[in-house]
Amino acid sequence: MAGSALGREEYIEQAYFFRVYRERLEDSTPSQEILAALKEEILTTTKLPMAIDFLIGEIQLNGRLADGMVRLSHYFSPFQTFIVQKAEEDNARFDFRVALKILECEAEFRSSEELDQAALFVYQFECLARNRLGYDHGISAIADDSVYSQEWRDWIRKIRFDLGTVDFSDMLYMRSEQHVIDVQKRQNNPDYRPSYPVLFDSRAGRIARANHGKDPLYLFAALQRQLGYPVVPRGKAIVRPEVHPALEARIHRLEARLSLLEQEEKGGIDLSPFYEDGGKFKDDPKTI
C-alpha cells in the first residue's frame, strides 16, 4: 500500500528525527535509547511520536527498524522504507548513517511549500544509482509514493523496463517541454502537442539534451548546479593514517621476536637465518 502524503509539519519533524538519530548513532548511542529519547523530543502535534513508539517495540522484537516501517506504510513512504531495508540487510555495504542522511535531506525537501515532483524524482533516482541499491525494487518504491500524480507514477513504472536500454538523459528529455519546442521548430508546427504528458520543464530538458550519451552523474550534477535540485549525500571516504617509519620498524622487530617465541614453543629455534656464509652469526642487532 502506498504511503500517504503528509503535511509540512510532519516532514519537518521527520527531518529532525533522521538527523538526530544519525548524530547520536555516531556517538555510539544504542538505537533503543535514541528512539526513546526522540519520542519525548518530537512535537506531539504530529503523528511521529506514535510511529516512534511502534518502532521501539519492533526494534526490540526483531532488531530492525525497517520491519516497523513496513507496517507503518500509511506514514512512512515506500522509498523511505526501501532505503532503511537496504541499509539493514545482512552484509550490506550501504552505510546506515548515509541512509539516514538521505532520508533527512528528502524530508527537508518534502517540507517545502511547493514540492517539485521532478526534483524529488531525480533525487530519489540518483540515490539508487549512486549507492547501487538496485533499480527493480527501488523504482517500484518510488512509483508507489502517493506524493506523485498519476501521470508521474505511470511514467516511473514505464522507465523501470527501459533502464539499461535507453539513456536516462533521453528519457528525461523526451518528457520535457524542450522536446516539444524542438519538434515544433523541426516540423514548423507551433500547434504540435504530444500525446503523452510533459513532466519536466524546458530548462531540465536542455540540460538533459546536453548530457546525451554521458554518465548520468554528470546530468545529476548539472541539474543541481543550474536548477537547485537537492544534492544526494555521500559517505565519507575512510583515510588510513600513515604509520611512522620508526614505529613500523619496531613492529617488524616485535613480529620477529614473536616468531622466535612460537618456534621455541614448537620444540626449537631455527637459527639458520642469522648465519652468514661460513657459519658465523650476523653482527646486525636489527635482525633479532
Side-chain angles (χ1 to χ4, degrees):
M1 183 176 64
S4 59
L6 305 176
R8 181 171 180 269
E9 188 180 46
E10 295 283 354
Y11 289 125
I12 292 174
E13 293 302 294
Q14 279 192 12
Y16 176 80
F17 168 70
F18 292 126
R19 175 174 60 82
V20 176
Y21 194 170
R22 173 179 53 83
E23 291 174 350
R24 294 178 184 176
L25 274 182
E26 292 175 350
D27 294 335
S28 302
T29 306
S31 290
Q32 295 181 20
E33 294 183 12
I34 297 173
L35 293 175
L38 280 171
K39 178 187 172 184
E40 303 299 326
E41 297 177 28
I42 295 298
L43 198 62
T44 55
T45 55
T46 65
K47 298 179 181 178
L48 186 54
M50 292 184 289
I52 295 175
D53 190 34
F54 184 83
L55 293 177
I56 291 174
E58 286 295 317
I59 204 170
Q60 289 174 346
L61 182 63
N62 301 315
R64 294 178 186 269
L65 197 69
D67 293 342
M69 295 178 70
V70 169
R71 300 181 65 182
L72 293 173
S73 57
H74 57 282
Y75 185 77
F76 293 107
S77 71
F79 179 77
Q80 290 175 324
T81 303
F82 173 77
I83 291 295
V84 176
Q85 283 177 328
K86 298 300 290 186
E88 290 184 332
E89 284 182 347
D90 296 332
N91 302 320
R93 302 181 64 182
F94 183 39
D95 193 340
F96 188 71
R97 291 167 296 183
V98 175
L100 291 175
K101 183 64 176 177
I102 287 173
L103 297 182
E104 174 196 342
C105 295
E106 191 214 28
E108 288 179 350
F109 187 71
R110 285 174 179 259
S111 67
S112 57
E113 294 291 346
E114 295 183 4
L115 180 63
D116 186 347
Q117 296 181 76
L120 178 62
F121 167 74
V122 172
Y123 173 84
Q124 293 175 333
F125 185 85
E126 184 183 355
C127 290
L128 303 181
R130 189 175 290 280
N131 295 287
R132 300 179 180 179
L133 302 181
Y135 293 118
D136 189 19
H137 297 291
I139 291 293
S140 297
I142 296 174
D144 289 339
D145 195 333
S146 61
V147 75
Y148 293 107
S149 65
Q150 189 60 46
E151 295 175 344
W152 269 97
R153 294 187 202 176
D154 293 340
W155 180 71
I156 293 172
R157 292 189 178 99
K158 179 181 181 298
I159 68 169
R160 175 187 172 194
F161 302 100
D162 295 334
L163 289 171
T165 58
V166 181
D167 192 46
F168 180 73
S169 61
D170 291 341
M171 296 181 190
L172 194 154
Y173 169 69
M174 292 297 295
R175 287 299 183 106
S176 69
E177 293 179 359
Q178 185 60 42
H179 175 256
V180 177
I181 295 173
D182 292 342
V183 174
Q184 290 174 345
K185 292 180 179 179
R186 187 166 57 248
Q187 297 181 356
N188 194 21
N189 180 14
D191 296 328
Y192 167 78
R193 291 294 181 270
S195 58
Y196 48 82
V198 175
L199 304 176
F200 297 90
D201 60 19
S202 59
R203 297 176 301 168
R206 287 196 300 271
I207 294 173
R209 185 181 61 186
N211 282 271
H212 169 72
K214 298 181 181 180
D215 192 319
L217 296 181
Y218 298 149
L219 170 63
F220 302 144
L223 291 171
Q224 291 161 10
R225 292 194 308 269
Q226 296 291 331
L227 305 183
Y229 280 20
V231 179
V232 174
R234 308 181 192 179
K236 296 181 180 179
I238 300 176
V239 180
R240 296 183 178 179
E242 296 183 359
V243 181
H244 193 277
L247 178 60
E248 186 176 6
R250 179 169 292 184
I251 291 173
H252 287 318
R253 290 197 295 269
L254 289 173
E255 290 176 348
R257 292 176 181 178
L258 287 174
S259 178
L260 291 175
L261 291 175
E262 290 175 355
Q263 293 178 25
E264 185 178 6
E265 288 184 357
K266 292 179 181 180
I269 300 177
D270 182 13
L271 299 178
S272 59
F274 304 100
Y275 283 113
E276 294 180 348
D277 295 337
K280 295 182 180 179
F281 279 109
K282 296 179 181 179
D283 296 331
D284 187 4
K286 294 182 180 181
T287 58
I288 301 177

